[in-house]
mmCIF file with all atom_site columns, all heavy atoms in Angstrom:
data_model
loop_
_atom_site.group_PDB
_atom_site.id
_atom_site.type_symbol
_atom_site.label_atom_id
_atom_site.label_alt_id
_atom_site.label_comp_id
_atom_site.label_asym_id
_atom_site.label_entity_id
_atom_site.label_seq_id
_atom_site.pdbx_PDB_ins_code
_atom_site.Cartn_x
_atom_site.Cartn_y
_atom_site.Cartn_z
_atom_site.occupancy
_atom_site.B_iso_or_equiv
_atom_site.pdbx_formal_charge
_atom_site.auth_seq_id
_atom_site.auth_comp_id
_atom_site.auth_asym_id
_atom_site.auth_atom_id
_atom_site.pdbx_PDB_model_num
ATOM   1  N N   . LYS A 1 55  ? 90.034 -17.779 89.283  1.00 97.00 ? 98  LYS A N   1
ATOM   2  C CA  . LYS A 1 55  ? 89.397 -17.131 88.123  1.00 97.00 ? 98  LYS A CA  1
ATOM   3  C C   . LYS A 1 55  ? 88.865 -15.765 88.531  1.00 97.00 ? 98  LYS A C   1
ATOM   4  O O   . LYS A 1 55  ? 88.811 -14.844 87.728  1.00 97.00 ? 98  LYS A O   1
ATOM   5  C CB  . LYS A 1 55  ? 88.244 -17.988 87.609  1.00 97.00 ? 98  LYS A CB  1
ATOM   6  C CG  . LYS A 1 55  ? 88.730 -19.223 86.872  1.00 97.00 ? 98  LYS A CG  1
ATOM   7  C CD  . LYS A 1 55  ? 87.576 -20.023 86.313  1.00 97.00 ? 98  LYS A CD  1
ATOM   8  C CE  . LYS A 1 55  ? 88.080 -21.379 85.866  1.00 97.00 ? 98  LYS A CE  1
ATOM   9  N NZ  . LYS A 1 55  ? 87.154 -22.471 86.126  1.00 97.00 ? 98  LYS A NZ  1
ATOM   10 N N   . ASN A 1 115 ? 79.145 -13.657 94.254  1.00 96.00 ? 158 ASN A N   1
ATOM   11 C CA  . ASN A 1 115 ? 78.217 -14.364 93.368  1.00 96.00 ? 158 ASN A CA  1
ATOM   12 C C   . ASN A 1 115 ? 77.060 -15.043 94.093  1.00 96.00 ? 158 ASN A C   1
ATOM   13 O O   . ASN A 1 115 ? 76.626 -16.126 93.714  1.00 96.00 ? 158 ASN A O   1
ATOM   14 C CB  . ASN A 1 115 ? 79.007 -15.407 92.547  1.00 96.00 ? 158 ASN A CB  1
ATOM   15 C CG  . ASN A 1 115 ? 78.338 -15.728 91.238  1.00 96.00 ? 158 ASN A CG  1
ATOM   16 O OD1 . ASN A 1 115 ? 77.562 -14.926 90.714  1.00 96.00 ? 158 ASN A OD1 1
ATOM   17 N ND2 . ASN A 1 115 ? 78.617 -16.908 90.691  1.00 96.00 ? 158 ASN A ND2 1
ATOM   18 N N   . SER A 1 144 ? 81.392 -5.934  104.113 1.00 98.00 ? 187 SER A N   1
ATOM   19 C CA  . SER A 1 144 ? 81.744 -4.924  103.108 1.00 98.00 ? 187 SER A CA  1
ATOM   20 C C   . SER A 1 144 ? 80.592 -3.949  102.893 1.00 98.00 ? 187 SER A C   1
ATOM   21 O O   . SER A 1 144 ? 79.437 -4.257  103.182 1.00 98.00 ? 187 SER A O   1
ATOM   22 C CB  . SER A 1 144 ? 82.046 -5.604  101.769 1.00 98.00 ? 187 SER A CB  1
ATOM   23 O OG  . SER A 1 144 ? 83.261 -6.287  101.840 1.00 98.00 ? 187 SER A OG  1
ATOM   24 N N   . THR A 1 180 ? 84.247 -0.115  102.168 1.00 96.00 ? 223 THR A N   1
ATOM   25 C CA  . THR A 1 180 ? 84.911 -0.639  100.973 1.00 96.00 ? 223 THR A CA  1
ATOM   26 C C   . THR A 1 180 ? 85.299 0.449   99.981  1.00 96.00 ? 223 THR A C   1
ATOM   27 O O   . THR A 1 180 ? 86.334 0.366   99.327  1.00 96.00 ? 223 THR A O   1
ATOM   28 C CB  . THR A 1 180 ? 83.955 -1.642  100.283 1.00 96.00 ? 223 THR A CB  1
ATOM   29 O OG1 . THR A 1 180 ? 83.449 -2.521  101.282 1.00 96.00 ? 223 THR A OG1 1
ATOM   30 C CG2 . THR A 1 180 ? 84.632 -2.422  99.176  1.00 96.00 ? 223 THR A CG2 1
HETATM 31 P P1  . HMG B 2 .   ? 81.328 -19.151 91.904  1.00 65.17 ? 164 HMG B P1  1
HETATM 32 O O1  . HMG B 2 .   ? 81.796 -19.074 90.505  1.00 65.17 ? 164 HMG B O1  1
HETATM 33 O O2  . HMG B 2 .   ? 79.902 -18.871 92.194  1.00 65.17 ? 164 HMG B O2  1
HETATM 34 O O3  . HMG B 2 .   ? 81.755 -20.525 92.612  1.00 65.17 ? 164 HMG B O3  1
HETATM 35 O O4  . HMG B 2 .   ? 82.227 -18.156 92.757  1.00 65.17 ? 164 HMG B O4  1
HETATM 36 P P2  . HMG B 2 .   ? 81.512 -22.024 92.294  1.00 65.17 ? 164 HMG B P2  1
HETATM 37 O O5  . HMG B 2 .   ? 81.365 -22.718 93.601  1.00 65.17 ? 164 HMG B O5  1
HETATM 38 O O6  . HMG B 2 .   ? 80.447 -22.180 91.250  1.00 65.17 ? 164 HMG B O6  1
HETATM 39 O O7  . HMG B 2 .   ? 82.927 -22.473 91.661  1.00 65.17 ? 164 HMG B O7  1
HETATM 40 C C1  . HMG B 2 .   ? 83.380 -22.003 90.417  1.00 65.17 ? 164 HMG B C1  1
HETATM 41 C C2  . HMG B 2 .   ? 84.831 -22.418 90.233  1.00 65.17 ? 164 HMG B C2  1
HETATM 42 O O8  . HMG B 2 .   ? 85.653 -21.816 91.229  1.00 65.17 ? 164 HMG B O8  1
HETATM 43 C C3  . HMG B 2 .   ? 85.047 -23.914 90.366  1.00 65.17 ? 164 HMG B C3  1
HETATM 44 O O9  . HMG B 2 .   ? 86.160 -24.251 89.530  1.00 65.17 ? 164 HMG B O9  1
HETATM 45 C C4  . HMG B 2 .   ? 85.475 -24.054 91.805  1.00 65.17 ? 164 HMG B C4  1
HETATM 46 O O10 . HMG B 2 .   ? 86.251 -25.207 92.045  1.00 65.17 ? 164 HMG B O10 1
HETATM 47 C C5  . HMG B 2 .   ? 86.321 -22.799 92.005  1.00 65.17 ? 164 HMG B C5  1
HETATM 48 P P3  . HMG B 2 .   ? 85.963 -24.909 88.078  1.00 65.17 ? 164 HMG B P3  1
HETATM 49 O O11 . HMG B 2 .   ? 85.180 -26.165 88.323  1.00 65.17 ? 164 HMG B O11 1
HETATM 50 O O12 . HMG B 2 .   ? 85.197 -23.881 87.270  1.00 65.17 ? 164 HMG B O12 1
HETATM 51 O O13 . HMG B 2 .   ? 87.370 -25.103 87.611  1.00 65.17 ? 164 HMG B O13 1
HETATM 52 N N1  . HMG B 2 .   ? 86.339 -22.377 93.393  1.00 65.17 ? 164 HMG B N1  1
HETATM 53 C C6  . HMG B 2 .   ? 87.463 -22.166 94.120  1.00 65.17 ? 164 HMG B C6  1
HETATM 54 N N2  . HMG B 2 .   ? 88.768 -22.257 93.808  1.00 65.17 ? 164 HMG B N2  1
HETATM 55 C C7  . HMG B 2 .   ? 89.660 -21.985 94.780  1.00 65.17 ? 164 HMG B C7  1
HETATM 56 N N3  . HMG B 2 .   ? 89.307 -21.585 96.020  1.00 65.17 ? 164 HMG B N3  1
HETATM 57 C C8  . HMG B 2 .   ? 88.015 -21.468 96.357  1.00 65.17 ? 164 HMG B C8  1
HETATM 58 C C9  . HMG B 2 .   ? 87.034 -21.763 95.376  1.00 65.17 ? 164 HMG B C9  1
HETATM 59 N N4  . HMG B 2 .   ? 85.699 -21.742 95.396  1.00 65.17 ? 164 HMG B N4  1
HETATM 60 C C10 . HMG B 2 .   ? 85.280 -22.130 94.192  1.00 65.17 ? 164 HMG B C10 1
HETATM 61 N N5  . HMG B 2 .   ? 87.684 -21.059 97.587  1.00 65.17 ? 164 HMG B N5  1
HETATM 62 C C11 . HMG B 2 .   ? 83.347 -17.583 94.787  1.00 65.17 ? 164 HMG B C11 1
HETATM 63 C C12 . HMG B 2 .   ? 82.039 -17.998 94.151  1.00 65.17 ? 164 HMG B C12 1
HETATM 64 C C13 . HMG B 2 .   ? 83.032 -17.153 96.198  1.00 65.17 ? 164 HMG B C13 1
HETATM 65 C C14 . HMG B 2 .   ? 84.303 -18.769 94.806  1.00 65.17 ? 164 HMG B C14 1
HETATM 66 C C15 . HMG B 2 .   ? 83.958 -16.435 93.948  1.00 65.17 ? 164 HMG B C15 1
HETATM 67 O O14 . HMG B 2 .   ? 82.990 -15.445 93.787  1.00 65.17 ? 164 HMG B O14 1
HETATM 68 C C16 . HMG B 2 .   ? 85.177 -15.845 94.574  1.00 65.17 ? 164 HMG B C16 1
HETATM 69 O O15 . HMG B 2 .   ? 86.224 -16.495 94.685  1.00 65.17 ? 164 HMG B O15 1
HETATM 70 N N6  . HMG B 2 .   ? 85.089 -14.563 95.027  1.00 65.17 ? 164 HMG B N6  1
HETATM 71 C C17 . HMG B 2 .   ? 86.177 -13.927 95.701  1.00 65.17 ? 164 HMG B C17 1
HETATM 72 C C18 . HMG B 2 .   ? 86.124 -12.458 95.490  1.00 65.17 ? 164 HMG B C18 1
HETATM 73 C C19 . HMG B 2 .   ? 87.221 -11.784 96.270  1.00 65.17 ? 164 HMG B C19 1
HETATM 74 O O16 . HMG B 2 .   ? 88.189 -12.405 96.679  1.00 65.17 ? 164 HMG B O16 1
HETATM 75 N N7  . HMG B 2 .   ? 87.073 -10.449 96.445  1.00 65.17 ? 164 HMG B N7  1
HETATM 76 C C20 . HMG B 2 .   ? 88.033 -9.676  97.126  1.00 65.17 ? 164 HMG B C20 1
HETATM 77 C C21 . HMG B 2 .   ? 88.102 -9.951  98.597  1.00 65.17 ? 164 HMG B C21 1
HETATM 78 S S1  . HMG B 2 .   ? 86.776 -9.193  99.531  1.00 65.17 ? 164 HMG B S1  1
HETATM 79 C C22 . HMG B 2 .   ? 87.342 -7.584  99.818  1.00 65.17 ? 164 HMG B C22 1
HETATM 80 O O17 . HMG B 2 .   ? 88.327 -7.174  99.277  1.00 65.17 ? 164 HMG B O17 1
HETATM 81 C C23 . HMG B 2 .   ? 86.592 -6.761  100.812 1.00 65.17 ? 164 HMG B C23 1
HETATM 82 C C24 . HMG B 2 .   ? 87.306 -6.635  102.173 1.00 65.17 ? 164 HMG B C24 1
HETATM 83 O O18 . HMG B 2 .   ? 88.599 -6.098  102.034 1.00 65.17 ? 164 HMG B O18 1
HETATM 84 C C25 . HMG B 2 .   ? 86.493 -5.722  103.078 1.00 65.17 ? 164 HMG B C25 1
HETATM 85 C C26 . HMG B 2 .   ? 86.121 -4.422  102.342 1.00 65.17 ? 164 HMG B C26 1
HETATM 86 O O19 . HMG B 2 .   ? 86.983 -3.609  102.047 1.00 65.17 ? 164 HMG B O19 1
HETATM 87 O O20 . HMG B 2 .   ? 84.939 -4.319  102.042 1.00 65.17 ? 164 HMG B O20 1
HETATM 88 C C27 . HMG B 2 .   ? 87.413 -7.994  102.866 1.00 65.17 ? 164 HMG B C27 1
#
Side-chain angles (χ1 to χ4, degrees):
K98 286 183 193 142
N158 206 24
S187 288
T223 312

